[in-house]
Amino acid sequence: MQTFTQPGIFINHVSSRELTKLAQRGQDGLILDEQLVAALEAGSWHLPAGVNNRIVLPVHGRDQTELRQRAEKLTLCGENVWVQVPVMTAGQFNQSLIAELLAEGVPLVVDGVASKQQVYHLLTIARETTTPLLMIFCPAMSRYDAIVGLALAHLLSQVQVISPVRTVAEYWLSHNLQFDGVIVNHQQLTALHRLVASAAGQTCNVHTHQEYELVLG
C-alpha cells in the first residue's frame, strides 16, 4: 500500500458532478455521498471509466447482516472500490462482520474507531489476512489513544489510518502524528492544497496558521 510523505487527501461527500474532476486532479481517495452510493447499489448509476482513485462507499444498515449484504454487493462495483462500515452497530462491536469481509478479500474502511482497545481488536482480525484495511479515527479519540493506536496500526503493512480534519492545526497534528491520510470536504480542498504547497519544507508558523484557519475551519 502507498506510503505518504505528506498525509494523503480523502475528499468526503463526493457527488457525481465532482467525481471525474476530482479524480483527474489525482486525489488519493474519494468518499462518495450516500445518494450516489444508493444509485450505484440500485444500478441506476455506474462508476465512470478511467477513475483509478480509491473509491470509498459508505455502507449503513440496521444490523451486521444488512451491512454484510450491502458490502458484498458494492465491492463488485470495481477493483478500486473500498467499502466503509462502522466499527459499532447498535452498541455492538462489528467483529464478525469485519472479520468475514476481510477474509473474503473486501478492501475495508472502518469508521468511528475511538479507542486504542478498538484498534487492538481490529488488528487482531486484520493480521489473519492480507486484505487492505483503512481505519478512520474518531475526532473525539484521546491524543494518547491516537498515538498508541497509530503505533500499533503501523506494525501491519496492510493497515493505514486516516482522520477527519477541520482546521490547519488538526492538519499539522495529523502530519506530525504520522497519519496516512486526512479527510476534508470539497470546500476545504483548495485551501489545503495551498497550505501544503506554501509550507513544503517548512515548519508550521503563525503566519501560515492565521492565513488558513478561517478557510479550513
Side-chain angles (χ1 to χ4, degrees):
M1 298 181 68
Q2 184 176 1
T3 300
F4 303 103
T5 54
Q6 294 170 328
I9 298 174
F10 289 73
I11 311 302
N12 207 5
H13 305 301
V14 174
S15 67
S16 58
R17 179 177 55 84
E18 300 165 336
L19 179 62
T20 302
K21 181 179 179 181
L22 288 171
Q24 291 172 346
R25 294 176 64 167
Q27 302 310 318
D28 179 70
L30 304 175
I31 305 173
L32 304 193
D33 66 26
E34 292 185 20
Q35 290 184 336
L36 205 53
V37 173
L40 187 61
E41 188 174 9
S44 59
W45 181 81
H46 301 280
L47 288 172
V51 176
N52 299 316
N53 310 66
R54 284 195 250 193
I55 303 298
V56 179
L57 307 180
V59 173
H60 303 283
R62 293 165 294 181
D63 52 38
Q64 293 192 35
T65 300
E66 183 179 352
L67 286 168
R68 184 181 300 107
Q69 291 172 346
R70 296 191 65 197
E72 290 173 341
K73 181 177 181 179
L74 286 169
T75 194
L76 301 176
C77 294
E79 293 185 359
N80 56 330
V81 165
W82 294 54
V83 177
Q84 177 179 315
V85 298
V87 70
M88 305 277 289
T89 300
Q92 299 297 317
F93 180 60
N94 288 328
Q95 179 171 348
S96 61
L97 168 71
I98 294 166
E100 290 171 13
L101 290 175
L102 288 176
E104 292 171 9
V106 177
L108 209 56
V109 179
V110 178
D111 188 22
V113 179
S115 69
K116 63 182 186 296
Q117 290 84 2
Q118 290 181 345
V119 174
Y120 174 80
H121 290 305
L122 289 171
L123 294 176
T124 301
I125 298 169
R127 71 182 181 184
E128 301 300 324
T129 76
T130 58
T131 305
L133 171 64
L134 187 64
M135 300 185 198
I136 300 178
F137 279 10
C138 177
M141 191 177 194
S142 74
R143 181 79 57 83
Y144 174 75
D145 277 20
I147 292 170
V148 173
L150 281 163
L152 291 173
H154 288 156
L155 293 175
L156 296 183
S157 61
Q158 74 270 31
V159 176
Q160 290 183 308
V161 183
I162 61 177
S163 178
V165 297
R166 296 161 294 182
T167 67
V168 65
E170 290 177 353
Y171 173 83
W172 283 109
L173 178 61
S174 297
H175 178 73
N176 290 333
L177 292 179
Q178 298 184 336
F179 276 86
D180 299 297
V182 296
I183 302 173
V184 297
N185 61 39
H186 193 194
Q187 288 71 33
Q188 295 169 331
L189 182 59
T190 300
L192 189 56
H193 274 306
R194 291 174 58 203
L195 170 62
V196 172
S198 66
Q202 303 177 19
T203 57
C204 185
N205 55 55
V206 174
H207 172 73
T208 303
H209 182 87
Q210 290 176 341
E211 183 175 356
Y212 294 103
E213 181 71 38
L214 293 179
V215 183
L216 289 179

